[in-house]
Amino acid sequence: MSIEVTENSAKVYLHRNEATSLTGVRKITLDPFVDHRGEYIEIYNAQLYKEAGIDINFCQDDISISKRNVFKGIHGDNKTWKLITCLCGEFYLVVVDCNRESPKFGFWCGFLMHERKNYQVLIPPGYGNGHLALSGRTVFHYKQSTYYKGSASQFTYNIKDPFFNIKLPADDDDLILSGRDMEAKFVTL
C-alpha cells in the first residue's frame, strides 16, 4: 500500500503495512524523501495510518537510550498498543505472544532495527516486547495508546526463559539487565 502526500515537492510515503507471523503485529515500511541535503522521514501521521487501516489513538511517546548489550524487557500489558521505531543506532526487537489463551502463546519474532532501515513495528495489546542494544548508543522510540502507570501495571517475562527459547544476537552472559528483568519469573503452565 502506498499513500502519497505532496508538500513543497516532497513526497512522504507509508510504503508497506505487512503482516508478520504473529497475529496483529505489523511491520510498517516508510519511504524517506531524499535529496542532496539529506533525508526527511515522517514517522507518524494519524491520517495516513488511519487510511492504511491503523486507527489507534496514541497518547504517549517515550524514548529509551541504551548502550551495547543492554536488554530491556520482556514487558507488556493487555491494553496498550505500541509503535516502535529506531531513531539512532541499532537494536534487536523481540515481540512475544503473551496471551495465555492464545494458541501461539510463547511464540516470538525478532526484528533487526537500525536508524537506516526505515520501518516500524506495531505491537498490539497482549504482546510483550524487549530490545537488545547492538550499538554503542541506541535510541528506541515508541508511541503508546495508554499512559504508563508503572511496572506494577505490566507483565514481565524473563528473556532467558527456556519456554520462549529466544535467540538473541549476543551471549546471555554479556547481557546487561535491570533488577526487574533479572528477577522476572519463568513461565509456569
Side-chain angles (χ1 to χ4, degrees):
M1 159 171 254
S2 185
I3 301 170
E4 181 178 326
V5 176
T6 304
E7 183 177 308
N8 299 330
S9 307
K11 295 178 182 176
V12 180
Y13 294 98
L14 174 63
H15 185 65
R16 282 191 310 272
N17 176 4
E18 305 170 60
T20 67
S21 61
L22 297 175
T23 303
V25 176
R26 310 291 299 179
K27 180 179 174 185
I28 299 162
T29 304
L30 308 171
D31 280 344
F33 171 75
V34 180
D35 68 11
H36 66 282
R37 301 166 296 165
E39 292 182 30
Y40 173 83
I41 302 171
E42 183 175 66
I43 63 171
Y44 184 73
N45 178 313
Q47 179 182 340
L48 292 180
Y49 278 70
K50 185 175 183 176
E51 289 172 11
I54 302 169
D55 189 12
I56 300 164
N57 183 24
F58 291 107
C59 61
Q60 182 173 326
D61 283 44
D62 293 298
I63 291 177
S64 172
I65 301 172
S66 303
K67 62 183 180 180
R68 184 183 318 276
N69 291 329
V70 167
F71 184 86
K72 296 181 179 178
I74 301 169
H75 308 148
D77 64 35
N78 293 314
K79 298 178 184 173
T80 306
W81 286 86
K82 296 178 185 173
L83 183 63
I84 312 295
T85 308
C86 181
L87 297 182
C88 180
E90 182 177 37
F91 61 83
Y92 187 71
L93 175 68
V94 176
V95 181
V96 182
D97 186 339
C98 294
N99 177 357
R100 288 182 176 262
E101 305 301 316
S102 168
K104 288 193 170 185
F105 172 63
F107 284 49
W108 64 277
C109 58
F111 302 89
L112 182 60
M113 301 190 68
H114 188 282
E115 64 191 64
R116 303 296 294 164
K117 291 183 179 180
N118 300 310
Y119 70 85
Q120 300 169 309
V121 176
L122 180 68
I123 304 171
Y127 287 82
N129 66 278
H131 66 280
L132 171 67
L134 299 174
S135 54
R137 183 171 189 269
T138 298
V139 181
F140 173 96
H141 171 263
Y142 58 110
K143 300 182 85 55
Q144 297 187 105
S145 65
T146 63
Y147 294 105
Y148 180 67
K149 293 183 170 81
S151 61
S153 67
Q154 295 184 319
F155 52 75
T156 302
Y157 287 103
N158 196 307
I159 186 60
K160 297 179 182 182
D161 191 330
F163 177 78
F164 297 122
N165 195 29
I166 294 171
K167 306 293 184 206
L168 295 174
D171 291 330
D172 281 355
D173 294 338
D174 294 335
L175 298 181
I176 302 167
L177 303 171
S178 69
R180 171 187 177 185
D181 294 334
M182 278 192 291
E183 295 166 9
K185 302 211 185 299
F186 286 13
V187 171
T188 55
L189 298 176

